[in-house]
Amino acid sequence: MQAGTNPLALPSTTALLAFREAAAHLSFRKAAEVLGLTPSAVSHQIRGLETQLGVRLFARSTRAVVLTPAGADYLKAVKAALEMLATASGALKELAGSHQAALRVSALPFFSSTVLLPRLAQLQAFCPGLTLKLEATHDYADFDGLDVDIAIRYGKGRAAGLRFEKLIDVVSLPVCAPKLARTIVQPRDLGGMTLIHLTAQPGAWPAWLAANKVPDLVPTGELWVDSVPSALEAAEHGLGVALAMHPLIAARDGFGQALVAPFEPSGSTGTFYLVTRSEQAHDRRIAAFRAWLSSALEQAQHCP
């Protein structure tokens, strides 16, 4: 900007609203009724707007007002600007009001069943009076739709405006029923087993086999399921060998008895993240939930 020049001051919202309503009704009187103003006040706002812009927006007669071509063009921009402001203000108001609303958490089913649900009673000590809405799902958390405050996800995605905080690293661990574990001594023994796959992670078993130097292993059979809890339940029933997430698997009821690990943890490492909106970084409900979750994870890792 050159020295000595001044930018055009933005018109007041009152003037823009007066213009929009007068243009919609082609009447200053009806615009005044909608806005709760007097007709003379609406006329004053529009005359001030025309003076500020240096353009006639209405052609006036004794009986009616009509938009000029410049006024018609300007109306399109004004409508779009006011709608954008209304949308942004509504979203901000909802976020601000959510301080007293239920905290909406979306988490993977395995994480929910092993970490969250067994320790929810402790949450009240961290967040007295908090109402929690927990959704256990593999579906993408819809932050754009304002349907979630916190998501707990495996793997770090890329999304503008979202904050990813590392929760815990996990490593693959084959697990099965005790009767199957008796015949498994080394990774190559898995060739005589059914491998239980997770449909959302088709590369998990190939990665583990490659890391354990048996990339060419061909199992007796394969079973595909849609969730980690289903895979672990199938393994408990002796249907095959599943991959669990160590150390979180230690928090599952029956681990070490109905479900055992024939090998030490190995293979590829993944990470669970706490995902929130960047603008909610200082939300006290989320901060309290985060503190409770750290404690819950610590307990889950040291289950007997």
Side-chain angles (χ1 to χ4, degrees):
M1 181 183 299
Q2 295 179 352
T5 62
N6 294 314
L8 175 66
L10 290 175
S12 70
T13 305
T14 302
L16 293 177
L17 288 171
F19 169 65
R20 185 188 67 179
E21 294 304 325
H25 300 286
L26 293 179
S27 168
F28 290 178
R29 181 180 59 79
K30 290 184 178 179
E33 292 174 0
V34 171
L35 297 173
L37 300 173
T38 64
S40 62
V42 170
S43 177
H44 176 75
Q45 289 292 335
I46 292 174
R47 286 190 183 280
L49 184 60
E50 290 176 323
T51 299
Q52 182 179 1
L53 298 175
V55 175
R56 291 288 299 275
L57 300 174
F58 289 99
R60 298 164 174 81
S61 67
T62 55
R63 294 186 177 182
V65 292
V66 179
L67 281 169
T68 64
D73 289 339
Y74 190 54
L75 177 62
K76 297 176 183 178
V78 168
K79 282 184 175 179
L82 290 174
E83 287 173 4
M84 184 179 298
L85 282 172
T87 299
S89 298
L92 188 60
K93 182 177 180 180
E94 181 167 347
L95 285 175
S98 68
H99 178 74
Q100 300 299 329
L103 186 66
R104 300 158 297 185
V105 179
S106 172
L108 294 172
F110 173 71
F111 196 96
S112 295
S113 63
T114 57
V115 179
L116 302 182
L117 291 174
R119 297 164 185 85
L120 274 183
Q122 303 169 10
L123 181 58
Q124 285 302 313
F126 285 85
C127 309
L130 175 69
T131 299
L132 186 71
K133 290 186 177 180
L134 176 62
E135 181 183 24
T137 178
H138 288 281
D139 293 340
Y140 173 77
D142 183 16
F143 283 93
D144 292 334
L146 300 174
D147 292 330
V148 63
D149 297 302
I150 295 173
I152 298 171
R153 286 293 175 264
Y154 180 70
K156 188 174 184 179
R158 294 182 179 180
L162 296 182
R163 175 188 176 105
F164 286 77
E165 299 176 65
K166 180 179 175 180
L167 290 175
I168 186 173
D169 289 326
V170 293
V171 65
S172 298
L173 178 67
V175 293
C176 60
K179 65 179 180 180
L180 293 184
R182 299 188 194 104
T183 64
I184 302 174
V185 178
Q186 56 186 342
R188 192 160 290 280
D189 294 335
L190 293 174
M193 301 289 164
T194 294
L195 299 186
I196 303 173
H197 295 267
L198 193 63
T199 53
Q201 299 175 17
W205 264 117
W208 188 92
L209 295 172
N212 286 272
K213 300 180 173 54
V214 286
D216 57 342
L217 183 140
V218 178
T220 298
E222 294 181 314
L223 173 63
W224 292 82
V225 296
D226 64 355
S227 70
V228 174
S230 296
L232 297 179
E233 187 173 351
E236 285 180 346
H237 284 85
L239 300 180
V241 183
L243 282 177
M245 296 177 179
H246 174 83
L248 294 183
I249 186 60
R252 179 180 170 85
D253 288 341
F255 181 70
Q257 299 174 349
L259 197 65
V260 297
F263 309 118
E264 291 298 315
S266 63
S268 59
T269 299
T271 303
F272 276 94
Y273 290 90
L274 180 80
V275 188
T276 57
R277 295 182 185 85
S278 298
E279 62 266 30
Q280 288 182 289
H282 302 295
D283 187 308
R284 286 183 291 176
R285 299 170 310 144
I286 293 176
F289 182 88
R290 187 187 295 111
W292 166 77
L293 182 56
S294 296
S295 174
L297 276 171
E298 186 68 21
Q299 294 176 44
Q301 295 177 67
H302 296 94
C303 286

